Amino acid sequence: MDDFYREIIIDRYQNPHYRGELDPHDISFEDSNPLCGDELRIDLRVNGDENIIDARFSGKGCAISQASADLLLEYIQGKTLEEVKNLTKENVLELLGIELGPVRLKCALLSLKVLKAGAYGMDEASDDLVD
Ligand code: FES
């Protein structure tokens, strides 16, 4: 793993910028990583134009999942729900800057799955959201 990105991941895991809950919120969704059972919730506030004006995540998970959630929520500040729906796994991997095997990939993509399911207003998240 590249040292520079390893440092970013550890730093975001230990000192997250977007950890917490939003009350009130406009959108909230949570799901778990089926491989480990770790749960992640994301709350969003959006304005009348559907721009994201605040976002927070809560739950527990490994460094990769937590850092990925933190970096992703920073990345979507000011974006529209439509833009969020179009995010891809490549966007998240670019933010993390590392190559991941299949197990770690599930950790990294949990936040994207939760975020997109929330943006779509789904009742249940699907892996298709992050393929
Ligand atoms: Fe559970 Fe990574 S080990 S989210």
Side-chain angles (χ1 to χ4, degrees), residues 33 35-39 60-66 103-104 106-108 110:
N33 180 344
L35 298 183
C36 64
D38 287 337
E39 290 176 353
K60 65 181 175 71
C62 61
I64 299 269
S65 76
Q66 302 283 291
V103 172
R104 284 309 191 182
K106 287 267 187 209
C107 301
L110 177 60

Side-chain angles (χ1 to χ4, degrees), residues 98-109:
I98 52 169
E99 301 267 329
L100 295 168
V103 172
R104 284 309 191 182
L105 196 56
K106 287 267 187 209
C107 301
L109 296 179

Side-chain angles (χ1 to χ4, degrees), residues 44-63:
L44 300 176
R45 274 193 200 133
V46 296
N47 66 15
D49 294 327
E50 298 205 323
N51 287 101
I52 291 159
I53 52 173
D54 211 351
R56 291 288 183 277
F57 75 95
S58 52
K60 65 181 175 71
C62 61

